[in-house]
Amino acid sequence: MKKIGLMCTLGLWAFSVFSQPMKVSGIKEVMVRTAEWQLVHPVPNESILTWVHAPFYLGLLDLYDVTGEKKYLDTLHAIGEKKSWRPLPHILDPDNIAVLDAFLRTYEKCKDPTILSETKWVLDIILSRGTKQAMVSLKNNPYFKEWMTWCDALYMSPPVLARMTKLTGEKKYLDYMNTMWWKTSDYLYSKEDSLIYRDDRYIGKLSKNGKKIFWGRGNGWVLAGLVRVLEVLPQDSPYRGRFEQQYREMAYKILSLQQPEGLWTCSLLDPEYLSNGESSCSTLFCYALAYGLNNDLLDKEYLPQIWRAWNALCNNINAEGRLGYVQQVAGDPFPFHENEWHIYATGAFLMAGKQMIEVIEK
C-alpha cells in the first residue's frame, strides 16, 4: 500500500495531502481520513471506556473544533450518554478515569449538568483517600494500581483534576493534582537526563547496549500530560512555574533526541536497539512540542523540527487512513511493525493536527 507522499487512488477518491503538508486544508483532510478509518476499525475486545480510547476522544473533539463537523461531537456525546457519563468501576486506577477529561470537554460544549455531577462524584471519592499515604513505588506494592506509580498515569488523571477546578472553581482538585504529580515525578524523573522512567523497575537498569531505558511513549505521555495541565492551569496559579519548567526541560531534551527523518525511537537513549521511528510516542511529542511553540514555551527556531515530525507521521499513514508503525500496549520498548496500529496513536495524531493548524494560523 502506497503512502500519502504519492498520489493514491482509493475507488474514486484521490489522496495527496502529503504534497501540501503546510496547508490548513491538507492537515484537516488527513485528520478526517485517519479519524474516519479509526471509527470503522474499533479496538477488538476493549471497553469503550478504557484508557486506550481517551486520546481518541480528545482527538475527535479537536477534529470537531477545526472542522465544525458536529458528527464528531455527537459521536462522543452518544458514548457518554450510553455509559451514563461514568468511567470504569475501579475508579481509583488512574487509567480508568482518563476518559473523564473528554467528558468534561464535552460538558464545556453542551453544558449537560449530569456530566459535571458524575465526574465530581468520582473525583471526590479519589480525593477522600488523601495524599500522605500515597505509595509511588511499583515494586512490591499491592496497591500500585491505586496510585500514580507509573509515568503514564501523569497523562491519565492529572488533567481531569485540573480541568475540574477550572469548571467548578473548587481548588481542592488542583491541589490534589499538584501534590500527586510531584510525588510521582520527584520519584521517577531523572534531572540528569531530563527524562522520566516508566516506573521504578527501570531506575538503574540498562539495556543490552548499556544505555539507560527511557521509554518513548512513556515520556510522550508525560510531556502531553504537562500540556493538558497547562492548558487549563490559570496563568496566575502558584503551581504554573514548576510545570512550565518541567515542560521546557523535557521538551528541549526530546528535541535533541529526534531522529533525522523526524520521528523518535521507542527507547530514547538507545536508538540502536530499534532504529525505526515509532508513531505513538512521536504523535504525543509532536502534539506537545507544537503546543509549546504556539504558547511561547519553546523558541521559534524549533519550528522546522516540529514540521519534520508532522511530515514523518503523515508518511506513516497509508492510503486508507491507518496510522502504522505503532507499538502496541506496553510498559517498555519492544518491536513494532508497519501494519500495527492503535487507537491511542490515532487520537494523539488528531491532537497534533489541531496544534499544527494553529502553528500555521499564527
Side-chain angles (χ1 to χ4, degrees):
M1 188 73 72
K2 294 181 181 179
K3 296 180 184 178
I4 292 174
L6 302 174
M7 175 70 76
C8 300
T9 302
L10 188 64
L12 299 176
W13 179 76
F15 198 48
S16 58
V17 171
F18 192 58
S19 65
Q20 297 179 324
M22 297 183 69
K23 289 186 177 291
V24 170
S25 60
I27 294 175
K28 289 181 180 179
E29 192 171 356
V30 72
M31 289 173 70
V32 167
R33 193 61 183 172
T34 54
E36 293 292 343
W37 183 90
Q38 192 66 75
L39 286 168
V40 297
H41 292 85
V43 181
N45 305 317
E46 283 275 6
S47 165
I48 58 176
L49 295 177
T50 57
W51 65 268
V52 302
H53 291 84
F56 184 61
Y57 297 157
L58 290 171
L60 284 181
L61 291 170
D62 283 349
L63 185 56
Y64 167 70
D65 287 342
V66 301
T67 65
E69 289 288 341
K70 194 168 179 291
K71 66 177 181 179
Y72 300 119
L73 176 61
D74 290 343
T75 295
L76 187 53
H77 198 277
I79 290 169
E81 286 199 322
K82 180 179 180 180
K83 297 298 183 179
S84 302
W85 303 105
R86 296 172 183 170
L88 291 171
H90 185 12
I91 60 175
L92 298 183
D93 184 339
D95 284 352
N96 287 355
I97 68 167
V99 296
L100 294 181
D101 198 36
F103 287 175
L104 289 178
R105 277 190 60 192
T106 305
Y107 168 79
E108 291 175 335
K109 299 178 186 301
C110 69
K111 302 302 181 184
D112 182 345
T114 304
I115 303 174
L116 202 61
S117 62
E118 290 291 343
T119 303
K120 179 176 173 58
W121 179 80
V122 170
L123 296 186
D124 284 348
I125 292 174
I126 294 172
L127 263 63
S128 70
R129 296 184 303 155
T131 57
K132 292 182 179 180
Q133 71 272 35
M135 299 170 61
V136 294
S137 174
L138 188 143
K139 295 178 180 177
N140 302 316
N141 179 4
Y143 306 103
F144 78 95
K145 291 290 283 185
E146 297 185 5
W147 300 102
M148 300 180 200
T149 57
W150 65 105
C151 73
D152 320 23
L154 296 180
Y155 176 92
M156 308 300 168
S157 173
V160 181
L161 292 153
R163 191 175 298 276
M164 195 63 173
T165 288
K166 174 190 173 184
L167 295 176
T168 66
E170 295 186 56
K171 192 169 176 287
K172 62 181 180 179
Y173 303 110
L174 190 60
D175 291 342
Y176 181 87
M177 182 281 296
N178 182 71
T179 298
M180 294 306 299
W181 181 287
W182 297 113
K183 275 182 177 288
T184 298
S185 179
D186 289 346
Y187 184 54
L188 296 178
Y189 185 65
S190 170
K191 294 182 179 180
E192 175 187 2
D193 301 285
S194 297
L195 296 170
I196 194 165
Y197 291 102
R198 197 274 176 173
D199 56 66
D200 59 357
R201 294 174 300 173
Y202 297 93
I203 297 175
K205 184 177 180 180
L206 299 179
S207 71
K208 291 182 179 179
N209 294 325
K211 304 293 180 64
K212 294 180 182 179
I213 301 174
F214 288 107
W215 182 37
R217 188 162 71 233
N219 280 265
W221 287 130
V222 176
L223 195 62
L226 282 164
V227 164
R228 290 173 57 220
V229 168
L230 289 169
E231 281 179 330
V232 295
L233 201 59
Q235 289 293 327
D236 60 353
S237 170
Y239 301 144
R240 189 171 185 89
R242 195 175 181 191
F243 280 94
E244 287 187 352
Q245 177 63 28
Q246 187 174 41
Y247 170 85
R248 288 190 178 97
E249 289 176 10
M250 291 190 69
Y252 285 122
K253 181 66 173 185
I254 292 301
L255 284 163
S256 75
L257 298 173
Q258 187 180 27
Q259 298 301 298
E261 79 282 0
L263 301 182
W264 286 265
T265 54
C266 63
S267 187
L268 292 173
L269 297 187
D270 190 9
E272 292 80 11
Y273 166 60
L274 290 168
S275 60
N276 286 341
E278 196 276 316
S279 290
S280 65
C281 74
S282 298
T283 50
L284 291 165
F285 290 147
C286 185
Y287 158 69
L289 294 171
Y291 174 88
L293 197 68
N294 290 329
N295 291 273
D296 301 319
L297 292 169
L298 293 179
D299 296 334
K300 299 297 188 288
E301 66 184 270
Y302 294 98
L303 176 60
Q305 283 188 246
I306 296 169
W307 273 115
R308 193 158 72 246
W310 175 254
N311 291 344
L313 285 167
C314 288
N315 269 337
N316 279 357
I317 299 173
N318 69 7
E320 297 174 340
R322 185 204 69 205
L323 175 62
Y325 292 101
V326 175
Q327 188 191 29
Q328 299 300 286
V329 175
D332 59 0
F334 70 73
F336 53 92
H337 306 284
E338 179 181 4
N339 64 343
E340 290 185 309
W341 59 271
H342 216 298
I343 197 167
Y344 45 75
T346 306
F349 179 81
L350 297 175
M351 293 159 64
K354 180 182 178 181
Q355 291 299 320
M356 296 309 296
I357 289 173
E358 189 172 336
V359 167
I360 295 175
E361 292 176 342
K362 283 195 171 187

